[in-house]
Amino acid sequence: DVKVTQSSRYLVKRTGEKVFLECVQDMDHENMFWYRQDPGLGLRLIYFSYDVKMKEKGDIPEGYSVSREKKERFSLILESASTNQTSMYLCASSPPPPQETQYFGPGTRLLVL
Amino acid sequence: AQKVTQAQTEISVVEKEDVTLDCVYETRDTTYYLFWYKQPPSGELVFLIRRNSFDEQNEISGRYSWNFQKSTSSFNFTITASQVVDSAVYFCALGSRGNNRLAFGKGNQVVVIP
């Protein structure tokens, strides 16, 4: 069974804090993704990774960085959290083409005060 | 560029009514893939179906059915005899061969009233 887990369901942080969101998949997928979801804006891709130590910017990478040291783990880092980063963060993974179906984790609701 | 349009933002139905969600896509690729996901209030996006561009067969899975029409670039989703548990946001998405990224529509909020 497909399994993507995220380290926290809910997180409250203060402005300026460094925040780590962790995502782990157990499907041996090459690709992993980080999205944020905001009302009225849908899902927006922040970063994705197609292999260990490889990453590519998505549509809204500003204010974020990522790390992929192991195939199963993909971390999203907010170097200095700001209130406009309050959002729902969703992680996904997928096998390589042609089977690009993305499988999602439960999401992390981050509130930055 | 790839684009997915889900025109209806919120749809309310009374339990047992049918509801159809429209998805219109734009792509220049000849080989592409279409997806539907369900996001219940808990937040997790649940994969429902994937359709390849070369397979226009419609599909039925229980109370769910999908109508793929290349001629109108549409991939519509129907829930028959809706239930309260169908209340969720439904996303249509588009991918293409060799491209890891998906283009998502803005989603349809479905509210099923008991």
Side-chain angles (χ1 to χ4, degrees):
Chain A
D1 213 13
V2 168
K3 194 71 174 177
V4 179
T5 57
Q6 295 183 228
S7 50
S8 306
R9 293 298 301 269
Y10 300 94
L11 209 51
V12 180
K13 295 291 180 182
R14 297 215 172 267
T15 302
E17 279 192 74
K18 190 168 186 176
V19 182
F20 292 87
L21 302 182
E22 304 282 342
C23 175
V24 176
Q25 51 97 1
D26 66 357
M27 297 162 287
D28 202 34
H29 284 169
E30 277 74 8
N31 304 317
M32 296 188 76
F33 306 82
W34 275 107
Y35 296 87
R36 64 177 282 176
Q37 183 180 14
D38 301 288
L41 297 177
L43 275 78
R44 293 181 292 168
L45 182 64
I46 305 171
Y47 268 98
F48 70 98
S49 168
Y50 50 90
D51 202 350
V52 175
K53 297 191 188 294
M54 306 302 285
K55 61 186 179 185
E56 276 198 33
K57 293 180 180 178
D59 300 317
I60 51 162
E62 297 78 20
Y64 303 94
S65 62
V66 290
S67 171
R68 190 155 181 214
E69 297 295 319
K70 293 185 177 181
K71 191 176 185 181
E72 67 270 18
R73 187 180 298 270
F74 191 34
S75 303
L76 180 69
I77 303 154
L78 287 66
E79 294 289 342
S80 177
S82 62
T83 55
N84 63 13
Q85 292 178 310
T86 290
S87 186
M88 171 72 143
Y89 289 88
L90 291 158
C91 175
S93 72
S94 74
Q99 293 297 324
E100 298 94 338
T101 302
Q102 292 187 19
Y103 297 93
F104 285 80
T108 296
R109 296 184 190 274
L110 173 66
L111 172 62
V112 182
L113 300 173
Chain B
Q2 307 204 41
K3 185 179 176 183
V4 175
T5 302
Q6 295 179 255
Q8 315 127 299
T9 50
E10 182 165 332
I11 304 162
S12 294
V13 295
V14 176
E15 202 171 18
K16 297 184 183 175
E17 287 183 344
D18 298 348
V19 55
T20 294
L21 308 180
D22 298 329
C23 173
V24 175
Y25 62 91
E26 295 174 31
T27 181
R28 292 180 181 164
D29 296 311
T30 53
T31 301
Y32 53 89
Y33 313 98
L34 292 158
F35 305 83
W36 276 97
Y37 288 86
K38 174 183 179 179
Q39 186 179 38
S42 59
E44 179 176 353
L45 263 76
V46 177
F47 166 69
L48 294 178
I49 191 171
R50 168 198 169 111
R51 222 45 191 155
N52 301 330
S53 56
F54 45 84
D55 180 4
E56 282 191 76
Q57 272 193 332
N58 292 326
E59 180 152 340
I60 298 174
S61 175
R63 295 184 297 105
Y64 294 172
S65 61
W66 291 270
N67 182 4
F68 177 27
Q69 294 203 336
K70 280 178 89 168
S71 60
T72 55
S73 297
S74 65
F75 185 42
N76 296 339
F77 172 30
T78 297
I79 304 171
T80 303
S82 60
Q83 300 176 2
V84 173
V85 293
D86 297 326
S87 296
V89 181
Y90 292 86
F91 290 93
C92 182
L94 168 67
S96 60
R97 174 176 283 188
N99 184 351
N100 293 316
R101 300 175 62 155
L102 295 181
F104 283 87
K106 292 282 176 65
N108 299 124
Q109 171 80 61
V110 173
V111 178
V112 180
I113 303 163

PDB file of all heavy atoms in Angstrom, chain A residues 50-68:
ATOM      1  N   TYR A  50      13.935  14.896  -8.208  1.00  0.00           N
ATOM      2  CA  TYR A  50      13.794  13.700  -9.041  1.00  0.00           C
ATOM      3  C   TYR A  50      14.859  12.646  -8.718  1.00  0.00           C
ATOM      4  O   TYR A  50      14.933  11.603  -9.365  1.00  0.00           O
ATOM      5  CB  TYR A  50      13.821  14.060 -10.534  1.00  0.00           C
ATOM      6  CG  TYR A  50      14.968  14.946 -10.925  1.00  0.00           C
ATOM      7  CD1 TYR A  50      16.184  14.416 -11.329  1.00  0.00           C
ATOM      8  CD2 TYR A  50      14.836  16.337 -10.873  1.00  0.00           C
ATOM      9  CE1 TYR A  50      17.238  15.230 -11.683  1.00  0.00           C
ATOM     10  CE2 TYR A  50      15.892  17.164 -11.216  1.00  0.00           C
ATOM     11  CZ  TYR A  50      17.090  16.604 -11.618  1.00  0.00           C
ATOM     12  OH  TYR A  50      18.141  17.426 -11.956  1.00  0.00           O
ATOM     13  N   ASP A  51      15.693  12.944  -7.734  1.00  0.00           N
ATOM     14  CA  ASP A  51      16.696  11.970  -7.312  1.00  0.00           C
ATOM     15  C   ASP A  51      17.346  12.500  -6.034  1.00  0.00           C
ATOM     16  O   ASP A  51      17.222  13.695  -5.707  1.00  0.00           O
ATOM     17  CB  ASP A  51      17.743  11.778  -8.404  1.00  0.00           C
ATOM     18  CG  ASP A  51      18.491  10.453  -8.289  1.00  0.00           C
ATOM     19  OD1 ASP A  51      18.328   9.770  -7.250  1.00  0.00           O
ATOM     20  OD2 ASP A  51      19.225  10.106  -9.229  1.00  0.00           O
ATOM     21  N   VAL A  52      18.072  11.639  -5.374  1.00  0.00           N
ATOM     22  CA  VAL A  52      18.789  12.066  -4.169  1.00  0.00           C
ATOM     23  C   VAL A  52      19.718  13.218  -4.514  1.00  0.00           C
ATOM     24  O   VAL A  52      20.406  13.187  -5.535  1.00  0.00           O
ATOM     25  CB  VAL A  52      19.575  10.885  -3.580  1.00  0.00           C
ATOM     26  CG1 VAL A  52      20.426  11.346  -2.401  1.00  0.00           C
ATOM     27  CG2 VAL A  52      18.632   9.782  -3.154  1.00  0.00           C
ATOM     28  N   LYS A  53      19.688  14.237  -3.696  1.00  0.00           N
ATOM     29  CA  LYS A  53      20.507  15.436  -3.824  1.00  0.00           C
ATOM     30  C   LYS A  53      20.159  16.284  -5.048  1.00  0.00           C
ATOM     31  O   LYS A  53      20.830  17.291  -5.303  1.00  0.00           O
ATOM     32  CB  LYS A  53      22.006  15.094  -3.828  1.00  0.00           C
ATOM     33  CG  LYS A  53      22.491  14.465  -2.530  1.00  0.00           C
ATOM     34  CD  LYS A  53      24.002  14.399  -2.489  1.00  0.00           C
ATOM     35  CE  LYS A  53      24.478  13.600  -1.281  1.00  0.00           C
ATOM     36  NZ  LYS A  53      24.164  14.272  -0.006  1.00  0.00           N
ATOM     37  N   MET A  54      19.152  15.904  -5.784  1.00  0.00           N
ATOM     38  CA  MET A  54      18.746  16.694  -6.947  1.00  0.00           C
ATOM     39  C   MET A  54      17.450  17.417  -6.611  1.00  0.00           C
ATOM     40  O   MET A  54      16.562  16.862  -5.957  1.00  0.00           O
ATOM     41  CB  MET A  54      18.525  15.802  -8.168  1.00  0.00           C
ATOM     42  CG  MET A  54      19.701  14.917  -8.515  1.00  0.00           C
ATOM     43  SD  MET A  54      21.207  15.848  -8.821  1.00  0.00           S
ATOM     44  CE  MET A  54      20.871  16.520 -10.429  1.00  0.00           C
ATOM     45  N   LYS A  55      17.335  18.646  -7.077  1.00  0.00           N
ATOM     46  CA  LYS A  55      16.137  19.421  -6.809  1.00  0.00           C
ATOM     47  C   LYS A  55      15.906  20.403  -7.942  1.00  0.00           C
ATOM     48  O   LYS A  55      16.826  20.801  -8.636  1.00  0.00           O
ATOM     49  CB  LYS A  55      16.264  20.179  -5.489  1.00  0.00           C
ATOM     50  CG  LYS A  55      17.414  21.179  -5.484  1.00  0.00           C
ATOM     51  CD  LYS A  55      17.597  21.809  -4.128  1.00  0.00           C
ATOM     52  CE  LYS A  55      18.777  22.792  -4.152  1.00  0.00           C
ATOM     53  NZ  LYS A  55      19.078  23.347  -2.827  1.00  0.00           N
ATOM     54  N   GLU A  56      14.646  20.774  -8.070  1.00  0.00           N
ATOM     55  CA  GLU A  56      14.290  21.810  -9.039  1.00  0.00           C
ATOM     56  C   GLU A  56      13.259  22.733  -8.430  1.00  0.00           C
ATOM     57  O   GLU A  56      12.382  22.288  -7.690  1.00  0.00           O
ATOM     58  CB  GLU A  56      13.697  21.179 -10.314  1.00  0.00           C
ATOM     59  CG  GLU A  56      14.737  20.725 -11.298  1.00  0.00           C
ATOM     60  CD  GLU A  56      14.185  20.516 -12.700  1.00  0.00           C
ATOM     61  OE1 GLU A  56      13.258  21.243 -13.091  1.00  0.00           O
ATOM     62  OE2 GLU A  56      14.691  19.610 -13.372  1.00  0.00           O
ATOM     63  N   LYS A  57      13.378  23.996  -8.774  1.00  0.00           N
ATOM     64  CA  LYS A  57      12.406  24.961  -8.286  1.00  0.00           C
ATOM     65  C   LYS A  57      11.065  24.741  -8.953  1.00  0.00           C
ATOM     66  O   LYS A  57      10.993  24.413 -10.134  1.00  0.00           O
ATOM     67  CB  LYS A  57      12.895  26.382  -8.568  1.00  0.00           C
ATOM     68  CG  LYS A  57      14.120  26.776  -7.787  1.00  0.00           C
ATOM     69  CD  LYS A  57      14.547  28.188  -8.118  1.00  0.00           C
ATOM     70  CE  LYS A  57      15.786  28.566  -7.318  1.00  0.00           C
ATOM     71  NZ  LYS A  57      16.253  29.940  -7.648  1.00  0.00           N
ATOM     72  N   GLY A  58      10.038  24.966  -8.169  1.00  0.00           N
ATOM     73  CA  GLY A  58       8.694  24.949  -8.709  1.00  0.00           C
ATOM     74  C   GLY A  58       8.254  26.352  -9.059  1.00  0.00           C
ATOM     75  O   GLY A  58       9.063  27.178  -9.488  1.00  0.00           O
ATOM     76  N   ASP A  59       6.994  26.631  -8.812  1.00  0.00           N
ATOM     77  CA  ASP A  59       6.453  27.935  -9.193  1.00  0.00           C
ATOM     78  C   ASP A  59       6.668  29.014  -8.139  1.00  0.00           C
ATOM     79  O   ASP A  59       6.684  30.196  -8.463  1.00  0.00           O
ATOM     80  CB  ASP A  59       4.952  27.791  -9.471  1.00  0.00           C
ATOM     81  CG  ASP A  59       4.686  26.795 -10.596  1.00  0.00           C
ATOM     82  OD1 ASP A  59       5.420  26.841 -11.604  1.00  0.00           O
ATOM     83  OD2 ASP A  59       3.768  25.972 -10.460  1.00  0.00           O
ATOM     84  N   ILE A  60       6.811  28.613  -6.882  1.00  0.00           N
ATOM     85  CA  ILE A  60       6.932  29.614  -5.801  1.00  0.00           C
ATOM     86  C   ILE A  60       8.037  29.217  -4.821  1.00  0.00           C
ATOM     87  O   ILE A  60       7.786  29.009  -3.637  1.00  0.00           O
ATOM     88  CB  ILE A  60       5.589  29.793  -5.054  1.00  0.00           C
ATOM     89  CG1 ILE A  60       5.020  28.431  -4.613  1.00  0.00           C
ATOM     90  CG2 ILE A  60       4.573  30.532  -5.916  1.00  0.00           C
ATOM     91  CD1 ILE A  60       3.973  28.541  -3.535  1.00  0.00           C
ATOM     92  N   PRO A  61       9.289  29.155  -5.249  1.00  0.00           N
ATOM     93  CA  PRO A  61      10.367  28.695  -4.357  1.00  0.00           C
ATOM     94  C   PRO A  61      10.870  29.740  -3.366  1.00  0.00           C
ATOM     95  O   PRO A  61      11.578  29.407  -2.419  1.00  0.00           O
ATOM     96  CB  PRO A  61      11.475  28.337  -5.343  1.00  0.00           C
ATOM     97  CG  PRO A  61      11.254  29.281  -6.487  1.00  0.00           C
ATOM     98  CD  PRO A  61       9.752  29.462  -6.588  1.00  0.00           C
ATOM     99  N   GLU A  62      10.518  31.000  -3.558  1.00  0.00           N
ATOM    100  CA  GLU A  62      11.079  32.072  -2.736  1.00  0.00           C
ATOM    101  C   GLU A  62      10.722  31.870  -1.267  1.00  0.00           C
ATOM    102  O   GLU A  62       9.558  31.664  -0.907  1.00  0.00           O
ATOM    103  CB  GLU A  62      10.553  33.438  -3.210  1.00  0.00           C
ATOM    104  CG  GLU A  62      10.944  33.821  -4.625  1.00  0.00           C
ATOM    105  CD  GLU A  62      10.109  33.110  -5.686  1.00  0.00           C
ATOM    106  OE1 GLU A  62       8.993  32.629  -5.359  1.00  0.00           O
ATOM    107  OE2 GLU A  62      10.578  33.022  -6.839  1.00  0.00           O
ATOM    108  N   GLY A  63      11.737  31.951  -0.427  1.00  0.00           N
ATOM    109  CA  GLY A  63      11.541  31.802   1.006  1.00  0.00           C
ATOM    110  C   GLY A  63      11.633  30.367   1.497  1.00  0.00           C
ATOM    111  O   GLY A  63      11.510  30.118   2.697  1.00  0.00           O
ATOM    112  N   TYR A  64      11.882  29.443   0.566  1.00  0.00           N
ATOM    113  CA  TYR A  64      11.965  28.016   0.910  1.00  0.00           C
ATOM    114  C   TYR A  64      13.267  27.416   0.377  1.00  0.00           C
ATOM    115  O   TYR A  64      13.826  27.887  -0.609  1.00  0.00           O
ATOM    116  CB  TYR A  64      10.801  27.242   0.296  1.00  0.00           C
ATOM    117  CG  TYR A  64       9.428  27.733   0.672  1.00  0.00           C
ATOM    118  CD1 TYR A  64       8.754  28.647  -0.142  1.00  0.00           C
ATOM    119  CD2 TYR A  64       8.803  27.286   1.830  1.00  0.00           C
ATOM    120  CE1 TYR A  64       7.488  29.100   0.197  1.00  0.00           C
ATOM    121  CE2 TYR A  64       7.525  27.726   2.168  1.00  0.00           C
ATOM    122  CZ  TYR A  64       6.884  28.636   1.347  1.00  0.00           C
ATOM    123  OH  TYR A  64       5.630  29.074   1.684  1.00  0.00           O
ATOM    124  N   SER A  65      13.680  26.355   1.025  1.00  0.00           N
ATOM    125  CA  SER A  65      14.736  25.514   0.477  1.00  0.00           C
ATOM    126  C   SER A  65      14.361  24.066   0.776  1.00  0.00           C
ATOM    127  O   SER A  65      13.414  23.813   1.532  1.00  0.00           O
ATOM    128  CB  SER A  65      16.110  25.854   1.074  1.00  0.00           C
ATOM    129  OG  SER A  65      16.104  25.634   2.472  1.00  0.00           O
ATOM    130  N   VAL A  66      15.068  23.142   0.155  1.00  0.00           N
ATOM    131  CA  VAL A  66      14.749  21.729   0.345  1.00  0.00           C
ATOM    132  C   VAL A  66      16.032  20.932   0.505  1.00  0.00           C
ATOM    133  O   VAL A  66      17.120  21.385   0.157  1.00  0.00           O
ATOM    134  CB  VAL A  66      13.933  21.138  -0.831  1.00  0.00           C
ATOM    135  CG1 VAL A  66      12.520  21.697  -0.845  1.00  0.00           C
ATOM    136  CG2 VAL A  66      14.641  21.375  -2.150  1.00  0.00           C
ATOM    137  N   SER A  67      15.830  19.730   1.016  1.00  0.00           N
ATOM    138  CA  SER A  67      16.961  18.824   1.186  1.00  0.00           C
ATOM    139  C   SER A  67      16.489  17.412   0.913  1.00  0.00           C
ATOM    140  O   SER A  67      15.447  16.985   1.412  1.00  0.00           O
ATOM    141  CB  SER A  67      17.498  18.922   2.618  1.00  0.00           C
ATOM    142  OG  SER A  67      18.454  17.918   2.868  1.00  0.00           O
ATOM    143  N   ARG A  68      17.306  16.695   0.131  1.00  0.00           N
ATOM    144  CA  ARG A  68      17.003  15.285  -0.092  1.00  0.00           C
ATOM    145  C   ARG A  68      18.316  14.516  -0.022  1.00  0.00           C
ATOM    146  O   ARG A  68      18.994  14.306  -1.008  1.00  0.00           O
ATOM    147  CB  ARG A  68      16.316  15.065  -1.439  1.00  0.00           C
ATOM    148  CG  ARG A  68      15.787  13.640  -1.557  1.00  0.00           C
ATOM    149  CD  ARG A  68      14.667  13.551  -2.490  1.00  0.00           C
ATOM    150  NE  ARG A  68      14.144  12.204  -2.596  1.00  0.00           N
ATOM    151  CZ  ARG A  68      13.648  11.700  -3.723  1.00  0.00           C
ATOM    152  NH1 ARG A  68      13.638  12.441  -4.814  1.00  0.00           N
ATOM    153  NH2 ARG A  68      13.179  10.477  -3.742  1.00  0.00           N
TER     154      ARG A  68
END
